[in-house]
Amino acid sequence: MSSFIEDLIARKVFNNRGEETIEVDVVTTSGFGRASAPAGKSRGKAEVLPFPQDSVDEAIKKIEEFVAPELAGLNADSQEEIDEILHELDGCSKNFKNIGGSAAFAISLANAEAAANSHGLLMYQFLGGNSATSLPYPLGNCISGGQHATGKSPDIQEYLAFPHGAETFLEAVAANAKIHKKIGDALKEKSNTFNGGKSDEGAWIANIDTIDAFDVISKVCDDVSNELDFECGFGLDVAASSLWNAKESKYVYSNEGVKRDSGEQLEYMRELIEKYHLAYVEDPFHEEDFKSFAELTRKTRNCLICGDDLFTTNTERLNNGIRINAGNAIIIKVNQIGTLSDAARTIETAQSNGYIPVISHRSGDTCDWHIAHLAVAYKCPVIKTGVVEGTRIAKLNELIRIEHFLGNRAKMADLKIR
Ligand code: 2PG
Ligand code: MG
C-alpha cells in the first residue's frame, strides 16, 4: 500500500511545564501520524535551535506557507528524502534556524508514524523489521538537582535508578517505581523540610547534600535488589556544563560549597564510580572537554560513561569522541539534531564503534511516546526517562505494550556494563 502525503497540519500545544510547543499531524492516503516536540532545560550549546525567532507561531507559519506544500504528494515511506527536504527548506543551516528544530522533529516523527500506520504496522515494526524484539533497560530519574531543581538541592542534576539485572521490561519498571517510592519515604525521614515536591521529570526535590543523596539512593537500590533478587544499580547525570565556570576553569558545586578544577573533577568522578559502584555516568565533564571523557573512560570499568551535551546526537561531534575513545555511550535526543534520519545515522555510527546509544526524553516533554518505538526499532539497550509523571509514564507504558505485543519473542537488550 503506497502512502502519499495528503496533508500536514501544525498546531500549538503545551508541554508538561506549560510551555508552548509544536504538534504536527501527517495525513497520508492510507494512514495518519502525530508527533509533538519536547524541550530541554539544560541544553547543549551544539543543539539545533528549537524555534525560529523563539516563536512557535513563526514555526507554524513557515510549515503552512512553504513546508506543507513541498511535502504534499511525496511518499511517506521515503523518510530520508523527506528529512533531506526539511534541511533544504531550512536553507541547509547548521542548526535548523530557519524552520526550527522542533518543527523538523515533529514533521519527521509524525511522518514515520504515518508511514508505519499506512502499512498497518506499529512504528517499531516498520522502522526495525522482524529483528526488533529487544526491550531497553529503563534509567529512571529519582532525585533531581542542578538546573532541574530549586532550593538547596544536590548539585548533580539526576540520580537515576538502573535495574540492569531485570529479566523483563515490566519487572524493570516495577523495580524503578519501588525505588522511587522508597526514596520518597527515606527523604521524608532525612529532611524535615521535605514536602514531597517533584521536578518536571517527576523526580523528588529535597534540601539535602549532594553526598546524602548518594547514600539514600544507594541504600534503597541495595534493599530493592535484595528484595527482588536482581541487580538494581544506579547512575547519574552530572550535567557538568551547568556546573562549569569557564572564567575560573572550575566546576562550582554550590550545594557542597566546593570548587573543582578539571583534574579534581576527574578524581571525584572516579571516586564516586568506585564507592557507589555506579553503572552509568552522563556528562561528568563540560561539553568541550572530550579529553577528560577519554581519560575517565580509560580509567574506569563496568560503568557507562555517556555523552549528552558533549555529543548532542551529532555524528560529527560523536566522531570527534570516537577518535580518542571519549566515553562509551551516547545520549540520543532526536530534537538535539532535528530529524529522525540524522538521529538514526548517529545511532548507527555509535553502534558500529561500540558506543551504547541511550535514547532519552527531555525535561520538558509531552505525552508523545515515539522514543519507546525508536528504542526497540534501533536496538538502543537503554532508555532514559522518568519513573513517575504522565509524560514519562506515556513512554514506559508504550514499551510495556510493545513487550506484551511481542509475547515470547520479547527479550531484554544485550547490555554489558563495561
Ligand atoms: C538531560 C535532560 C533530560 P534537559 O540533561 O539529560 O533529563 O535534561 O532535557 O533539561 O536537557
Ligand atoms: Mg543530560
Side-chain angles (χ1 to χ4, degrees), residues 308-331:
D308 172 16
D309 293 350
L310 182 77
F311 296 134
T312 56
T313 318
N314 180 312
T315 313
E316 251 173 63
R317 291 183 70 90
L318 175 58
N319 277 327
N320 290 341
I322 289 169
R323 250 172 250 130
I324 59 165
N325 293 317
N328 51 31
I330 173 176
I331 279 280

Side-chain angles (χ1 to χ4, degrees), residues 17 38-44 47 141 147-148 157-158 160 200-201 237-239 242 280 282-283 308-309 331 333 335-336 360-365 384-386 392:
R17 288 199 272 261
K41 193 175 250 175
S42 65
R43 304 179 58 246
E47 293 190 24
N141 195 358
Q147 283 195 8
H148 285 183
Q157 184 178 282
E158 298 165 27
L160 302 147
D200 294 337
E201 297 189 358
D237 182 359
V238 183
S242 322
Y280 177 89
E282 183 180 323
D283 283 354
D308 172 16
D309 293 350
I331 279 280
K333 295 169 173 163
N335 81 325
Q336 285 183 326
S360 169
H361 67 169
R362 298 307 305 248
S363 54
D365 216 310
K384 185 172 92 151
T385 185
R392 322 293 145 183

Side-chain angles (χ1 to χ4, degrees), residues 207-368:
N207 289 336
I208 51 165
D209 292 355
T210 301
I211 291 300
D212 282 352
F214 276 96
D215 294 334
V216 168
I217 188 168
S218 161
K219 172 158 189 336
V220 168
C221 284
D222 282 351
D223 290 352
V224 173
S225 295
N226 289 334
E227 194 183 321
L228 299 178
D229 207 20
F230 62 78
E231 177 95 33
C232 296
F234 75 102
L236 308 173
D237 182 359
V238 183
S241 295
S242 322
L243 303 174
W244 180 244
N245 182 322
K247 271 200 194 126
E248 291 184 55
S249 286
K250 291 243 164 91
Y251 293 93
V252 181
Y253 288 77
S254 32
N255 171 299
E256 272 188 74
V258 175
K259 293 183 184 181
R260 296 184 170 92
D261 65 22
S262 296
E264 289 163 341
Q265 177 76 356
L266 183 79
E267 264 323 290
Y268 186 46
M269 291 299 126
R270 275 187 61 183
E271 277 167 27
L272 291 175
I273 291 169
E274 249 174 58
K275 177 161 183 207
Y276 295 101
H277 307 290
L278 299 180
Y280 177 89
V281 176
E282 183 180 323
D283 283 354
F285 307 102
H286 73 82
E287 60 205 311
E288 298 307 337
D289 192 359
F290 284 79
K291 264 190 156 156
S292 295
F293 267 83
E295 216 170 320
L296 183 66
T297 310
R298 206 168 36 248
K299 288 181 169 162
T300 47
R301 289 277 165 278
N302 308 319
C303 180
L304 298 181
I305 307 294
C306 185
D308 172 16
D309 293 350
L310 182 77
F311 296 134
T312 56
T313 318
N314 180 312
T315 313
E316 251 173 63
R317 291 183 70 90
L318 175 58
N319 277 327
N320 290 341
I322 289 169
R323 250 172 250 130
I324 59 165
N325 293 317
N328 51 31
I330 173 176
I331 279 280
I332 301 292
K333 295 169 173 163
V334 181
N335 81 325
Q336 285 183 326
I337 192 73
T339 73
L340 181 57
S341 304
D342 288 300
R345 273 192 290 275
T346 305
I347 293 174
E348 215 180 290
T349 306
Q351 285 166 334
S352 53
N353 287 281
Y355 279 59
I356 305 273
V358 176
I359 198 114
S360 169
H361 67 169
R362 298 307 305 248
S363 54
D365 216 310
T366 68
C367 290
D368 193 297

Side-chain angles (χ1 to χ4, degrees), residues 52-53 57-69 97-100:
Q53 294 154 41
D57 293 313
E58 195 59 31
I60 293 173
K61 206 166 117 205
K62 294 205 167 174
I63 291 178
E64 286 170 351
E65 274 173 16
F66 70 98
V67 180
K97 67 173 186 214
N98 296 313
I99 64 171

